[in-house]
Amino acid sequence: MAGESTPKYALIASTIQDRIISGRYPVRSLLPSEADLVREFGTARATVVRALEFLRLEGWLEAQQGRGRTVLGRPHTERSPAPTRVLRLLAGEDSTHVSLLRAAPVPATDRTADLLGLTTPARVIARRRLLADSGAMPPAFAIVHLPDGIAQRSAMVMNAPIGEDVVSRLSRTGHNPRRITERLTVRPATPREASLLTVHRGRCLLVATLVVLDGEGRPLVAVDAVQPADRTIVEFGHGLS
C-alpha cells in the first residue's frame, strides 16, 4: 500500500548513517556534496536535501555556511522529549482546548505527499482543528494529515472528535511512533487564517510543520499549524562540548 514502504529520503538517510557508523564518513569530515549524492542515489535534489536535513535534526550532521555538511558521528544522547508547543498540536480533540472543525478525505498535495512519503495521486485524511488561546499559548489552526491506510487502522477517519492524543492513538494501534521532526517558518496570515484566529489580515504567523516518524524513519502523520508569531517564544538548548 502506498505510504507503507520506506520513502527514498529515509533510505538515503539510513545509508549515510551506516557509513558514518562504519567510519567510511569519519567524524569531522565533510560529507559528499548534494550533487554527488544526487548522482549516486539517482534521485531528485529535494529528496537528498530532505534526507540531509533529517540527519541534521537528529544530530548526525552539522551544516556550515560555505563549507557543506560536517559529520558529527552517532548522537551520544537520547533526543529530548518533545516540547509542550509540539505536544499541543498532537493533543486530543476534547472540545475545550482543541476543537475539530472537519475531518474528511482529500487528495494529497505534492507537498503533503512528500512529507508522508506517498506516491501521487494519493488520498489523505485531513483533520482540521482549532486550538484555543490558553493565555500561555496563542490560538492555533492545525491540519493533521494521515495516509488513508493509517487513518483507517487507527480509527481517525470519522468526522467526530477523538479525545486521545495522536501519538497515543498511533501507539495503541501498532504504528510505533518514535520521533518528531519540526520545522518553523514565518509568513503573513491568509484571509481564512486571519478569520479563524481572529487576527488582522497580513499579521505575521509562526508556521510549524511536524512529521511523526516510526522507528524505521517512515512518516506516519504530518501536521501543518499556524499561530500568531508575536506571542510565541521558541527556545532551544545547545551544548558547548
Side-chain angles (χ1 to χ4, degrees):
M1 182 179 298
E4 292 192 344
S5 60
T6 303
K8 187 65 178 284
Y9 88 88
L11 293 173
I12 295 171
S14 178
T15 300
I16 294 173
Q17 285 174 331
D18 290 342
R19 292 176 181 177
I20 293 172
I21 292 170
S22 70
R24 177 173 171 182
Y25 295 157
V27 173
R28 306 314 305 176
S29 68
L30 286 177
L31 207 66
S33 69
E34 291 176 8
D36 289 339
L37 293 172
V38 165
R39 284 192 292 270
E40 176 183 354
F41 291 103
T43 190
R45 178 179 177 274
T47 303
V48 167
V49 169
R50 186 174 176 196
L52 297 175
E53 178 64 8
F54 173 82
L55 291 171
R56 185 190 69 79
L57 291 170
E58 291 291 300
W60 293 80
L61 305 174
E62 178 183 54
Q64 296 181 321
Q65 185 68 32
R67 290 200 64 215
R69 294 172 176 85
T70 301
V71 175
L72 298 180
R74 186 198 293 268
H76 295 294
T77 59
E78 292 293 326
R79 292 184 62 79
S80 60
T84 301
R85 69 174 184 276
V86 169
L87 297 178
R88 176 186 186 226
L89 300 179
L90 298 167
E93 299 152 352
D94 61 6
S95 78
T96 301
H97 301 99
V98 183
S99 301
L100 178 68
L101 302 179
R102 178 173 170 78
V106 298
T109 64
D110 289 343
R111 178 179 175 278
T112 301
D114 181 60
L115 289 173
L116 292 171
L118 302 174
T119 301
T120 53
R123 189 177 80 157
V124 297
I125 303 301
R127 302 187 68 84
R128 291 173 170 83
R129 316 157 96 207
L130 190 62
L131 286 69
D133 189 331
S134 67
M137 293 188 182
F141 171 61
I143 305 178
V144 179
H145 304 278
L146 301 110
D148 189 51
I150 290 176
Q152 295 283 352
R153 289 195 300 279
S154 56
M156 286 191 277
V157 177
M158 69 286 289
N159 187 27
I162 296 173
E164 191 174 17
D165 70 86
V166 173
V167 172
S168 295
R169 177 61 68 93
L170 290 171
S171 297
R172 189 168 58 77
T173 51
H175 290 99
N176 189 34
R178 299 289 295 174
R179 289 171 289 182
I180 301 172
T181 64
E182 178 188 28
R183 178 173 296 176
L184 302 174
T185 55
V186 178
R187 63 165 171 76
T190 66
R192 173 168 168 74
E193 291 166 347
S195 175
L196 285 168
L197 298 174
T198 62
V199 299
H200 297 297
R201 292 188 183 186
R203 184 165 174 184
C204 209
L205 298 182
L206 180 72
V207 183
T209 300
L210 310 181
V211 180
V212 181
L213 305 160
D214 69 10
E216 297 180 3
R218 291 177 297 207
L220 299 173
V221 176
V223 181
D224 284 315
V226 293
Q227 61 190 55
D230 56 355
R231 285 186 50 198
T232 305
I233 299 176
V234 180
E235 295 184 356
F236 299 95
H238 303 280
L240 295 175
S241 59

